[in-house]
Amino acid sequence: MGKFLMNYYEITPKINSISPLMYSDPEAFTAQFQEILLSENFKYFSMMIIVATAIIYPLNIGFFKIYQKKDENKEVNINDLFAGFSGSNFFKFFGYYLLWGGIYFYLKPLVVPGFLWIVFTIFVAPLLYFTPMTLVEALKISFKVVSGNIFIVSACSVLAILFSYSGLLIFFFGFLLTFPFWNAIIYTLFKSYFRIKFV
């Protein structure tokens, strides 16, 4: 999907055209690359990536259901992975990710604020899935709990991010095996800080 969008918005051809400058004139390459990143096409590309990611984001919720059923010693089946797509869940989590991804898009270049946005919203998805909370309530509770446990949650987030995305180094396909680790960390932290009856 990303490759298609990069071609569609003519980002790949532009990068290919300036790539020889990477070795012959690094400063010119950097300047032209910055122009590409600031172009309207790149903004549209980034927005479409957020939308595409939002469409598949509910798969993350499926992992929460699988971990919950394992805790309850219940049989897990392939349908559990699609729990985030059932009923109104899809629209709830699709909408949430559009909001989350839109804010992250503007914070990501600043690195620290981007990371803090990830950390402080870490419990929002499980709260939305396991409780009847609204998005605003889930955001408030997530911020409150993380604020009181910032060091532990931050350390776990760094570990989860590094391990989850390490799969990209193994010919990309390893990502499919390591990415669920991020959801497992969120689920484990969620169980540690929230004493609620799962629905």
Side-chain angles (χ1 to χ4, degrees):
M1 176 62 82
K3 186 176 180 180
F4 168 77
L5 289 173
M6 286 187 76
N7 284 323
Y8 181 80
Y9 287 106
E10 299 179 347
I11 295 170
T12 299
K14 288 180 181 178
I15 291 176
N16 289 339
S17 68
I18 66 170
S19 59
L21 295 173
M22 188 183 300
Y23 303 103
S24 60
D25 192 345
E27 289 185 9
F29 172 81
T30 302
Q32 292 187 40
F33 188 70
Q34 286 288 350
E35 286 181 19
I36 294 172
L37 296 182
L38 295 173
S39 68
E40 285 296 312
N41 274 7
F42 189 81
K43 289 179 182 177
Y44 293 138
F45 162 75
S46 300
M47 290 176 190
M48 290 306 299
I49 285 293
I50 292 172
V51 172
T53 306
I55 291 172
I56 62 172
Y57 178 76
L59 282 174
N60 289 277
I61 308 308
F63 285 114
F64 294 149
K65 182 168 185 178
I66 289 170
Y67 300 142
Q68 175 196 359
K69 289 183 78 171
K70 282 184 177 254
D71 280 347
E72 297 173 346
N73 294 316
K74 292 181 179 178
E75 186 178 347
V76 175
N77 60 65
I78 191 65
N79 291 332
D80 295 329
L81 189 59
F82 302 100
F85 291 94
S86 65
S88 62
N89 280 344
F90 173 76
F91 299 102
K92 181 195 297 185
F93 293 108
F94 173 75
Y96 165 61
Y97 192 87
L98 283 181
L99 172 68
W100 188 94
I103 293 173
Y104 182 65
F105 172 72
Y106 289 102
L107 295 179
K108 182 169 59 173
L110 304 175
V111 183
V112 173
F115 175 73
L116 290 177
W117 176 244
I118 293 173
V119 172
F120 277 97
T121 58
I122 197 169
F123 296 122
V124 175
L127 283 170
L128 289 175
Y129 180 63
F130 290 117
T131 76
M133 287 185 185
T134 64
L135 177 56
V136 173
E137 290 171 332
L139 283 166
K140 286 181 180 177
I141 294 297
S142 184
F143 271 68
K144 183 177 180 180
V145 172
V146 172
S147 295
N149 304 278
I150 187 67
F151 295 112
I152 293 175
V153 176
S154 295
C156 289
S157 296
V158 170
L159 176 66
I161 291 169
L162 290 176
F163 185 80
S164 295
Y165 289 94
S166 66
L168 291 172
L169 301 177
I170 311 172
F171 305 110
F172 184 78
F173 296 104
F175 178 70
L176 300 175
L177 301 176
T178 58
F179 182 73
F181 183 74
W182 170 248
N183 297 287
I185 289 290
I186 295 174
Y187 179 77
T188 302
L189 287 170
F190 181 74
K191 285 200 310 175
S192 300
Y193 294 119
F194 295 89
R195 306 298 180 191
I196 63 171
K197 183 180 179 180
F198 288 165
V199 294

